[in-house]
Structures are given as structure tokens and as C-alpha cells.
Amino acid sequence: MARSRPAPAQSLPVYAASEFAATDGANMGDPLSFASELILDDIYELPFGIEPRRLAILPGDDRHFRVAASTDIGTPDATLVLDSALSFMSDDGALHEALLLVEVDADGGASEIYLLPLTALRSGVEYRLVGIDADNARQKFAQVACVSFTRGTHITLSSGEQRLVEDLAIGDRVLTRDDGVQKIRWIGQNTVRAVGDFAPIKIHAGTLNNDHDLIVSPDHRLFIYQRSDEIGAGQSEVLVKARHLVNGMTVTVMDGGFVDYFQLLFDSHQIIYAEGIAAETMLIDTRTKPVLPADLSAAMGEVIPGHSDLPHAGLDINEALLNRPDAAELLRKASGR
């Protein structure tokens, strides 16, 4: 999809394939590789002391992604191909899903392979490969890439009614910040394990002048209008990822169990009101579009003006400015309410 302005990068915790080698089985001694070279029942382990690094991803052309300049691993602007979805079973019987991403060099060859675990992996634990899925990896990745509200979140309708997100229906009229009243085009729902980097973030009541708790996906961006620039962003309108506000007190990670996520799609990317906080809705690009039903995806086409022209581009706040325990409090003060 052509874009006039840059899309927001998504930062994901990955391991280089060389850090996840087979310790038993047909590929013993070899690092993780393409789906076509993997053998079921092989056992893989992470060495002690290995921690995931952040791979920053941007939407690319057609079915591919690109490595963003803000990445901690990988080559900026290189092409990324989603190879497959893998399933591992640990020795305690727990199932762990992961995605395999391949970085492609200028000649079209694989320069690096990355494992994106969808649940936290631990060093010294044996992980038996029990599933290889090369057909549904894009759908699984799209669920990770979508920003989502959790069950129980109140959304403000055009009438002023506060309706639970799980009670919304296609066609409901929702109040937006920029375009007045807009109808919901599609609602997605999925249930995932609330663990590690993908556990939801809880914005406790009062933190951003909200009367009730707001719980959203980690990369969900919140819109804040600063009447005074308390954080040093250099602009009055900012978008802040929920996970960048975590301080262990007023903004916390809800790690453990399962979480019901809901995605709200409009004809254009919108800022709506959830528990009184301005928050973004689903943005369609090559990372998220596979989550849509096939008929809706086809009907919307490849270029969707309200999603490709990115009306909210340039509002993302520098993460370094938020690397302080009082970031949420400064933003609350900045909003002047």
C-alpha cells in the first residue's frame, strides 16, 4: 500500500535463530531454520543469559514487512518475510507458539532468521517442536499487530452512551475526535494468553484523568493534547504507546491467564474515547490486514485512503522522553484537566 507519510513502527521481542539451536533430534546442533528444513520432535533450547532484542517492523509492499530504523537488531530498511508459525511444547506440557521471520538481503537471499515467541521462553528449558504451519502465519501475526481493547472497556457512542466494547455491533455510531460521528465497519475478537510482552497494559483510574481503569494491548496508542509541554515533546498533540507508560504503580502489566481482545475498524484510522481516554482504532496495513475476513479485505482493496494517508502520522512521542517513572503523571498534568 502506498503511503504519503511513515507508518508507526512496531517493536517486537525476537531471538536470532542462531541463539535457538537444536539440542536433540534430526537437526541436532543446527540453529533454527526455515519451515521447509525443520523436523517435528526436534528439541531446541536457549542458552543461559540470552535475552530477546527488539526488532522494529514497518509495513512493506504486498506481503512483506521492512526493518525500521529504530530497530535494536537487524538491518534498517531490509525486507522481512513471514515464513511460518511454529508450536513448541516445554517439558511441563505447556504449549508455546512463535513466528519465524526471515530478513532478506539485496540479492534475495536470507541474511538472518528471527524467532518471535508469542509466550515468554526461558533459558535451559527443552522446547520440543510439535507444529509447523506455513499457511496461517500471517493471520497469527496480524492478531499480534492489531491494537485492541479488552472486554469490559466502555466506548463512547455518538449519543454520549458508554457502551461495553463486547456489546458493540457493526454500524454503531461512535464519537471520534477528528471526524465527528463514524460508523463501525468491522469488529474483531480473539482470546490470547496474557503473558510476557503481549500481556495487556492497565491504565489505572485517575492516571490520565480517567474515571475507570483502561486496559489495552501493549502497543495501543493513546492520544493526549498537551496544554503545556511537560514531557518535552515539542508539540501539543502526541500519541503514546501504553507499554511506554508502565511504571509498576499507576500503569501496570496484567501478566497471567488469558485476555479477550477486541479490534474496532472504521473506514479511516480514528481516535475514539475509551473509559474517557482518547485512544486509536485499528490501522490497516500489510501487518494487520490478514486478520480481516476475506470478503471484507477484498472489498476494501489494496489502498484505503483513510488508512494509507495516516492523518495521525508524526504524533508519536520519542520513547526516550517516556523512560521515567513520572511520565504518566507529567502527561496528566500536561492535559490540564
Side-chain angles (χ1 to χ4, degrees):
M1 281 178 233
R3 293 182 178 274
S4 57
R5 287 178 280 183
Q10 184 174 18
S11 179
L12 301 168
V14 302
Y15 297 97
S18 58
E19 299 170 337
F20 199 61
T23 56
D24 196 9
N27 286 322
M28 182 175 178
D30 294 335
L32 198 67
S33 187
F34 310 108
S36 59
E37 297 180 356
L38 298 177
I39 305 295
L40 292 177
D41 285 332
D42 279 2
I43 294 175
Y44 290 82
E45 289 187 43
L46 281 171
F48 285 98
I50 296 295
E51 296 292 336
R53 285 174 283 175
R54 311 295 306 191
L55 177 66
I57 294 180
L58 289 169
D61 297 327
D62 192 21
R63 301 170 66 87
H64 303 142
F65 313 132
R66 291 187 297 111
V67 180
S70 57
T71 195
D72 293 334
I73 186 174
T75 306
D77 208 39
T79 297
L80 286 168
V81 178
L82 189 54
D83 178 79
S84 56
L86 306 178
S87 298
F88 297 91
M89 183 171 289
S90 53
D91 46 20
D92 61 358
L95 192 64
H96 301 264
E97 291 189 306
L99 298 171
L100 206 61
L101 290 154
V102 179
E103 182 179 315
V104 180
D105 60 28
D107 297 323
S111 57
E112 185 59 89
I113 300 174
Y114 306 106
L115 181 72
L116 168 61
L118 303 185
T119 58
L121 301 181
R122 294 180 291 122
S123 300
V125 174
E126 293 186 342
Y127 294 99
R128 184 181 298 275
L129 182 62
V130 296
I132 304 170
D133 184 354
D135 297 323
N136 298 302
R138 294 187 71 222
Q139 286 75 13
K140 288 183 179 293
F141 183 88
Q143 291 178 349
V144 171
C146 287
V147 296
S148 306
F149 299 97
T150 58
R151 180 180 295 276
T153 300
H154 291 89
I155 303 297
T156 302
L157 301 186
S158 60
S159 63
E161 176 190 347
Q162 305 291 306
R163 186 175 297 175
L164 293 172
V165 67
E166 62 266 31
D167 293 337
L168 292 173
I170 294 172
D172 278 349
R173 296 161 59 86
V174 173
L175 178 64
T176 74
R177 183 184 184 275
D178 302 305
D179 296 320
V181 176
Q182 295 292 314
K183 292 182 179 180
I184 298 174
R185 180 70 176 269
W186 177 77
I187 300 173
Q189 178 183 356
N190 62 305
T191 301
V192 299
R193 292 180 65 183
V195 293
D197 210 82
F198 304 104
I201 306 299
K202 180 178 182 179
I203 315 291
H204 293 248
T207 301
L208 293 176
N209 300 302
N210 47 312
D211 291 332
H212 303 284
D213 296 340
L214 172 65
I215 305 171
V216 293
S217 55
D219 279 321
H220 208 131
R221 295 182 300 167
L222 312 176
F223 176 92
I224 296 172
Y225 179 81
Q226 298 190 107
R227 288 174 170 79
S228 60
D229 191 6
E230 300 286 339
I231 206 75
Q235 58 194 46
S236 58
E237 296 183 343
V238 295
L239 285 171
V240 183
K241 289 186 178 180
R243 68 179 178 86
H244 291 163
L245 295 178
V246 172
N247 55 25
M249 298 171 292
T250 61
V251 184
T252 55
V253 180
M254 297 187 67
D255 200 331
F258 291 82
V259 59
D260 292 332
Y261 276 140
F262 293 82
Q263 301 86 38
L264 300 181
L265 175 67
F266 294 81
D267 285 333
S268 58
H269 183 244
Q270 295 291 348
I271 303 296
I272 63 173
Y273 298 92
E275 301 297 356
I277 294 178
E280 71 172 327
T281 61
M282 180 179 173
L283 173 64
I284 297 179
D285 58 31
T286 55
R287 296 169 297 186
T288 59
K289 196 178 182 188
V291 80
L292 298 177
D295 56 345
L296 177 58
S297 179
M300 298 187 85
E302 288 302 314
V303 178
I304 307 162
H307 291 262
S308 60
D309 59 10
L310 296 177
H312 306 108
L315 300 185
D316 293 89
I317 205 166
N318 190 316
E319 182 181 352
L321 296 177
L322 301 170
N323 189 22
R324 48 189 299 172
D326 62 345
E329 174 62 14
L330 289 175
L331 290 170
R332 186 189 66 79
K333 291 179 179 178
S335 67
R337 290 194 290 129

